[in-house]
Structure formats: C-alpha cells, structure tokens
Amino acid sequence: MWAYVLRRLLLMIPTLLGVLIITFAVTQFVPGGPVEQMVSQLKSGGAVGGGESAASGGAGYRGRQGVDRAQVEEIKKLYGFDKPPLERFVQMLVSFARFDLGKSFYHHKDVWELVKEKLPVSISLGLWTFFLSYLISVPLGIAKAVRAGSRFDAITSLFVLVGYAIPGFVLGVALLVLFGGGSFLAWFPLRGLTSSNWHDLSLGAKVVDYLWHIALPVTASVLGSFAVLTMLTKNSFLEEIRKQYVLTARAKGLGERSVLWKHVFRNALIPLITGFPAAFIGAFFTGSLLIETLFSLDGLGLLSYESVIRRDYPVVLGTLYLFTLIGLVTKLIGDLCYVWVDPRVKFD
C-alpha cells in the first residue's frame, strides 16, 4: 500500500506542473492584463494604483500611445512583468513550494487572506448542500430500490429528474420572485448570509437569522444534486439485491430487513462511500458562481470569476494551485477508501 501511495504522491508533481504551465502560458497571451489596464487608466486621467477603475479599464484599452515609455516600464516592474516569462514562472513555483500564493493585484492582499475571507460563505453553502444531499438522497434511493417498479418509484423519479433538469440559477430566480420579495411573497431576504445587525442579536436569534438567509440559496443549490445520488443509490442497491448471496440469505429464512441492512447495505454503499471524501472536502473549496452572484454571497466562486475578469493573475494561479493540490490528495484518499470498504480491491 505504501508503495502505491508513494507513486501517487510522486505523480501529483507532474500533474500540478502541467496544470500550472498551461494556465500560466494562457495568461501570457490574454489581452487586457494588469499593465494594459493601468496604461488605459493613465490615458483616461486616472490615478496610478490598483482598484476598480483600473480593473475595469481593460475593456476600453486602446493601446499604449500617449503614455511615456518609462512609465510603461515602471508599471511592468510594479507587477513583475519586467522579467522574462520563464523566470517569473520559476519564481512562482518556488513561492508555491513554500505555500506562498502571492499577492492580489486588485485587492492588495495575500491570496491566502482572500481565500480565508471568502471561505466561510462557500463553507456555508457547500456543507449544507453536501449534508442535505446525502441525508435525503441515500434513504430515498434505498426506498426506491426496495419498491422498484411501484407507483412510489415512478413518482419520485419524476420529481427527482425534473429537479435535475432545472438549472440551479433558474430555480434561484424563481425562488427570489416567489418568496424573496419579488412579485409575490417577501418571506426571505434577497441577499447576504446574515442581517446587518447580526452581531447585536442573541445567540438564538443569530441562528434563526442565519438559517433564514441561507434557506433559498441552499434550496437552489441542493435540488440538482439529488438526482445523481438518488439514482446511484437505487441502482447500487438493485444490483446487490439481485445477487446470489441475497437469494441464499433469504432461503435461509432471514427477514427482509436483516437481509437489507446486514448484507446488502455495506456492499451497495461502496460507490457512495468512496466518493464521500471528495464531496466533503469539495464542499469547503467549491463555490457556485451563479448562486453566489444571484444571492449576493461573496464566496470563492465569485472571487474566482472576478479574478479572471480583472486579470488578477496571482489569485487565478494561486487558487488554482491550492484547489488542484487539494483535489489530487482527496482523490488519493477516495481510492484508499475503496480498500477500506472492500478488502477484495488490491493495489496491484
């Protein structure tokens, strides 16, 4: 096992390098970078320095005419673009090896600080989505497998697949119109995770206020994830129920409940358990851009989108490195879970 783990850890190095090389190369050819944005701001009479006007200036970039060459070189030096691309890439790799993710061009903060600031929002949205999906989908999938072909199975399949077919952001818009003070009812707030006076509330009132704010975005996020988990659980249980050992257990006189929970349950949950680590860790670091934008939730999804639009390369590359590394480690843990759940699986 340890030899297998070591091989997988060593394979992470070229994978990380490949991801970073491709992304870094793409950023060298994308127009409207931080230098061009600053030059555009200088042409329009703006102040030198990062900021929203500088970030948005790239859309109106018309070249470097009218800006002193020395100023352009100074701006390049300010953002580190005075060095050759290969030298900048090597410096970035050395920094990443020390887990120094760099400093944002736009926010003027370390990328680590930005991730920690945005993480609570993504954790709130991701963990609720994760737990509700598993807590509802697994029991529902088992019930569908036991009642396969019945009216209950057909009706629940219809609702689950309809929910899967509706995009989360479309459902979010509908929820806001219906219950968020749109054209009908004003039962839930339009934006944010908490009210403006949240710190002045009692502990019980804080919990209620938080749940009140998170209800609509979680509903919009979780509905689409029901279908995959529910149908995967159902199909896994159906496959196990039809195997010979189940028929043998029934022939020995074991009750249906005992057969289901003592014999079928562990084998049928192998696909779900092995995907559990990736889903759980992913809940901390994945952000739904459209849901976060729709409900004005300032999380990692919105940060990633804005960093690409603003050409904030340290944030783009730093978060990409962090999330890719976490994803590779989580994938390894998921593969090891196969052996933990099913000893028949061999590393050979």
Side-chain angles (χ1 to χ4, degrees):
M1 181 183 72
W2 294 113
Y4 171 79
V5 172
L6 180 60
R7 287 198 303 270
R8 288 291 299 272
L9 290 174
L10 291 176
L11 282 172
M12 290 180 188
I13 298 175
T15 305
L16 273 173
L17 279 175
V19 170
L20 291 175
I21 288 172
I22 293 173
T23 309
F24 184 85
V26 169
T27 61
Q28 304 308 302
F29 300 101
V30 175
V35 175
E36 286 81 2
Q37 292 177 16
M38 184 68 75
V39 170
S40 177
Q41 185 187 11
L42 287 173
K43 288 180 61 179
S44 61
V48 176
E52 236 176 279
S53 57
S56 61
Y61 173 62
R62 298 181 300 275
R64 293 177 179 170
Q65 295 85 355
V67 178
D68 185 75
R69 184 177 181 83
Q71 284 183 301
V72 175
E73 295 301 322
E74 185 179 347
I75 294 170
K76 283 185 177 182
K77 186 176 181 180
L78 175 66
Y79 289 112
F81 285 92
D82 57 325
K83 302 181 179 68
L86 181 59
E87 183 180 347
R88 286 188 281 118
F89 181 73
V90 172
Q91 288 180 347
M92 183 188 71
L93 291 181
V94 173
S95 298
F96 284 176
R98 300 195 306 263
F99 283 93
D100 178 8
L101 302 183
K103 189 173 183 179
S104 168
F105 292 155
Y106 177 79
H107 297 278
H108 306 294
K109 292 182 180 179
D110 290 338
V111 176
W112 270 114
E113 294 298 323
L114 284 173
V115 170
K116 287 189 287 186
E117 284 179 10
K118 312 297 183 182
L119 195 55
V121 174
S122 295
I123 287 177
S124 295
L125 193 60
L127 284 184
W128 278 111
T129 303
F130 169 79
F131 282 118
L132 287 177
S133 297
Y134 269 84
L135 289 175
I136 296 174
S137 297
V138 173
L140 179 60
I142 295 173
K144 287 172 65 62
V146 173
R147 300 173 178 83
S150 66
R151 180 178 297 180
F152 170 81
D153 183 28
I155 294 174
T156 53
S157 294
L158 176 63
F159 280 106
V160 165
L161 293 176
V162 167
Y164 181 71
I166 300 175
F169 70 93
V170 174
L171 179 61
V173 172
L175 291 173
L176 284 176
V177 171
L178 293 173
F179 305 111
S183 303
F184 297 92
L185 304 171
W187 289 355
F188 296 94
L190 286 171
R191 59 180 58 88
L193 279 182
T194 56
S195 300
S196 57
N197 63 335
W198 189 77
H199 294 287
D200 300 327
L201 302 175
S202 63
L203 179 60
K206 285 181 178 179
V207 173
V208 172
D209 182 77
Y210 167 73
L211 294 176
W212 182 47
H213 280 77
I214 202 70
L216 292 187
V218 167
T219 302
S221 299
V222 80
L223 197 63
S225 60
F226 280 159
V228 175
L229 270 176
T230 301
M231 302 310 291
L232 178 61
T233 305
K234 174 191 172 182
N235 293 334
S236 297
F237 268 78
L238 280 177
E239 183 180 354
E240 294 297 323
I241 288 172
R242 293 164 181 167
K243 289 185 176 179
Q244 185 64 40
Y245 75 89
V246 177
L247 298 177
T248 304
R250 287 171 176 167
K252 290 180 178 179
L254 291 179
E256 193 66 25
R257 184 179 296 273
S258 178
V259 171
L260 182 64
W261 296 107
K262 291 184 178 180
H263 295 271
V264 176
F265 188 75
R266 178 178 178 180
N267 293 328
L269 285 185
I270 288 176
L272 299 177
I273 293 177
T274 51
F276 191 91
F280 184 75
I281 298 298
F284 288 87
F285 292 98
T286 55
S288 176
L289 166 63
L290 295 173
I291 297 297
E292 289 182 7
T293 304
L294 184 62
F295 291 94
S296 300
L297 303 175
D298 191 12
L300 291 175
L302 193 58
L303 173 67
S304 301
Y305 172 74
E306 289 179 344
S307 63
V308 172
I309 296 300
R310 292 166 176 163
R311 308 295 192 268
D312 199 347
Y313 298 141
V315 178
V316 173
L317 292 165
T319 54
L320 178 69
Y321 167 76
L322 177 63
F323 299 158
T324 304
L325 182 61
I326 292 172
L328 291 171
V329 173
T330 305
K331 180 65 176 174
L332 174 59
I333 295 173
D335 290 342
L336 294 177
C337 285
Y338 262 110
V339 181
W340 176 63
V341 176
D342 188 357
R344 296 171 298 177
V345 175
K346 302 298 180 183
F347 287 110
D348 297 338

